[in-house]
Each structure stands twice: as C-alpha cells, then as structure tokens.
Amino acid sequence: MGLSLEQKKRMVQEVASVAADAHSAVAAEYRGLTAGDMDRLRVKARESGVYVKVLKNTLAKRAVEGTEFECMSEGFEGPLLIAFSQEDPGSAARVIRDFSKEREQLVVKMVSVGGELYGAAEAERLANLPTYDEAVSRLMATMRAPVQKLATTLNEVPGKLVRTLAAVKDAK
C-alpha cells in the first residue's frame, strides 16, 4: 500500500527540518540489506546522534530543496538512504562506515558538507574527523603542553641544585 499525499508531505517536512539543522549528509545505497540490518543501522545511528531515513528519490529531492544539501539532488538514483549528522560533521559518515564493514551491501554514494557535494571517497576522510569531545581534548592537550614544559624546566633548576649538593656531601 502506497503512502497518502498527507503522509508524503509530513515525511518531506520532517526530513527538511532535520536537513536544515544538520552538519553533513551521507547518501548510501542499501540494496541487499534485510529489514533486521536496517533496524540495527537505525539503532546505531540513533545512539550516535544521526538521523537516518529511507525515502523515494522524488521525496528526497523535495526534502533537501532550500537547504545546503540541495547539491545532492542530482545523485538521488536507486535505493538510497540518507543519514544526517546532527551532533558533529563526521558522525553520519562514521556510522555508515562502521556498519558497511559488517555489511558490504551498504555502499556510500555521495557526501555533502557545507553545501558542497563530494564523492564516496571523501566519506572516509569525513568519518576520521574527531568528535567534539576529542577535538576539545586535543586542544586542551595542545594548550597544556607549553605550560607543563615550563613547569618542568623551572622545577629542574632547584632539583639539579639539590642533586649537586648531595653529590658534594657524598664526596666529602
């Protein structure tokens, strides 16, 4: 049984509202995946803050109209699912990459970030981007390093003096 016009409008509106706030989008062909596989993918996506939706291509084109993902419209061909990253730019690509390692049937077709369309090869680069927490911890480690080195250097001067005095005392 097909969807009614009202159901289609609601679906397009829902995807359009998610796309308006998303950081990146990944379109992947899911041909050959079972319903159980799709359920596991959706669970993993939900845990990672990724919105995954399977739409007819005409509905997907309407949903991304007026968003920064409109550049993907030309590539909507065949059975595709769309994953939108809602928390950080790399989360959708990370979820799709990790799931496609288990199931080779899931194949990335295109990636969009910041209104730019990229090929499937760029999904790996996007997936390797650090999460927000990882980026903050790297920044903090970078900011802490000079201070730590200064403290270590300043501490070394009295330490060396104490060791020298101890060596002189032992010599006498």
Side-chain angles (χ1 to χ4, degrees):
M1 183 173 141
L3 297 173
S4 70
L5 182 61
E6 277 304 311
Q7 290 172 320
K8 289 178 183 178
K9 284 181 181 178
R10 270 187 269 134
M11 194 179 298
V12 167
Q13 187 178 19
E14 176 188 340
V15 173
S17 67
V18 169
D21 297 330
H23 297 288
S24 67
V26 177
E29 186 175 295
Y30 64 91
R31 186 175 292 155
L33 291 179
T34 65
D37 292 338
M38 291 299 287
D39 287 341
R40 283 190 289 282
L41 174 62
R42 285 187 180 99
V43 167
K44 287 183 180 183
R46 212 171 298 120
E47 291 170 354
S48 300
V50 175
Y51 177 85
V52 175
K53 192 72 171 178
V54 175
L55 288 171
K56 290 183 179 263
N57 294 328
T58 54
L59 296 179
K61 287 177 185 178
R62 287 188 181 148
V64 297
E65 274 180 17
T67 67
E68 65 181 33
F69 305 111
E70 193 169 3
C71 58
M72 298 177 82
S73 293
E74 296 297 319
F76 290 141
E77 294 175 358
L80 294 178
L81 63 84
I82 304 173
F84 292 101
S85 294
Q86 295 176 309
E87 292 179 3
D88 66 277
S91 58
R94 214 172 293 115
V95 167
I96 299 295
R97 177 195 63 190
D98 293 345
F99 195 79
S100 66
K101 287 180 182 175
E102 301 169 16
R103 302 281 188 263
E104 291 86 27
Q105 296 94 336
L106 188 63
V107 179
V108 175
K109 291 297 179 183
M110 59 187 150
V111 176
S112 177
V113 180
E116 295 290 323
L117 181 65
Y118 300 102
E122 297 300 317
E124 186 64 30
R125 281 187 39 196
L126 185 61
N128 289 332
L129 285 177
T131 64
Y132 177 79
D133 293 335
E134 290 171 346
V136 168
S137 67
R138 287 181 187 179
L139 176 64
M140 290 296 114
T142 303
M143 291 173 67
R144 192 182 96 191
V147 175
Q148 185 176 2
K149 286 199 181 286
L150 176 65
T152 303
T153 303
L154 291 176
N155 192 31
E156 188 61 31
V157 172
K160 192 171 186 177
L161 176 65
V162 169
R163 285 191 301 275
T164 304
L165 291 176
V168 169
K169 178 185 152 200
D170 290 341
K172 290 185 178 186

